[in-house]
Amino acid sequence: MINKKFSFILMHVGFIIYSFYSVAGKTASINNQSKSIIIFFYVLIFLILGLYAIIWQQILKVFTLSFAYTNKAVIIIWGMIWGKLFFNEQFTLRKFIAVLLIFSGILILNLSKSKEGANE
């Protein structure tokens, strides 16, 4: 069986990889003058999603679907980070509060799961 700590890290690396599909999609839509650039980014999206699908299947061998899917909400945070870094999108107070709520929910879930695992 795969180590749970390694699997948890792999799951979040997978989420980071998955979050790049939105960067590639937005870049393709911004650079819509060249069909070759659009095709490149759509192929990149396909590769990103393929790699993520492989990682996701490995994660589901270790964690329950409900646990893994709840952690997937971290993609929203990564999307906001990539939006700021690549597209100079603005952070607002509402977005910051939303990120705090998402992170709090993930943290609560992970802490409760770790306590359940300790009791087993």
Side-chain angles (χ1 to χ4, degrees):
M1 181 188 268
I2 299 174
N3 182 343
K4 283 214 179 214
K5 288 181 183 179
F6 173 77
S7 297
F8 186 79
I9 292 168
L10 179 64
M11 177 172 59
H12 283 275
V13 168
F15 294 152
I16 292 169
I17 291 168
Y18 180 75
S19 69
F20 272 105
Y21 93 90
S22 61
V23 174
K26 186 166 184 172
T27 304
S29 70
I30 291 171
N31 298 312
N32 60 4
Q33 292 86 13
S34 172
K35 289 185 181 188
S36 60
I37 291 175
I38 293 171
I39 292 170
F40 168 77
F41 281 108
Y42 283 137
V43 168
L44 182 61
I45 290 169
F46 181 76
L47 294 174
I48 288 169
L49 293 177
L51 177 60
Y52 172 71
I54 293 168
I55 293 171
W56 183 250
Q57 292 302 313
Q58 297 307 308
I59 294 308
L60 291 180
K61 290 180 181 178
V62 178
F63 297 113
T64 63
L65 178 61
S66 62
F67 178 77
Y69 199 77
T70 304
N71 275 271
K72 192 174 179 181
V74 77
I75 293 170
I76 297 168
I77 298 168
W78 285 112
M80 290 176 59
I81 292 169
W82 303 147
K84 179 65 178 169
L85 290 176
F86 294 112
F87 306 110
N88 200 26
E89 294 177 355
Q90 299 301 313
F91 280 129
T92 63
L93 180 59
R94 291 176 88 180
K95 289 180 182 178
F96 183 74
I97 292 170
V99 167
L100 286 178
L101 287 172
I102 292 167
F103 184 72
S104 299
I106 293 169
L107 188 62
I108 289 168
L109 175 76
N110 288 333
L111 290 175
S112 68
K113 286 290 183 181
S114 68
K115 286 181 182 177
E116 287 177 14
N119 293 333
E120 292 177 357

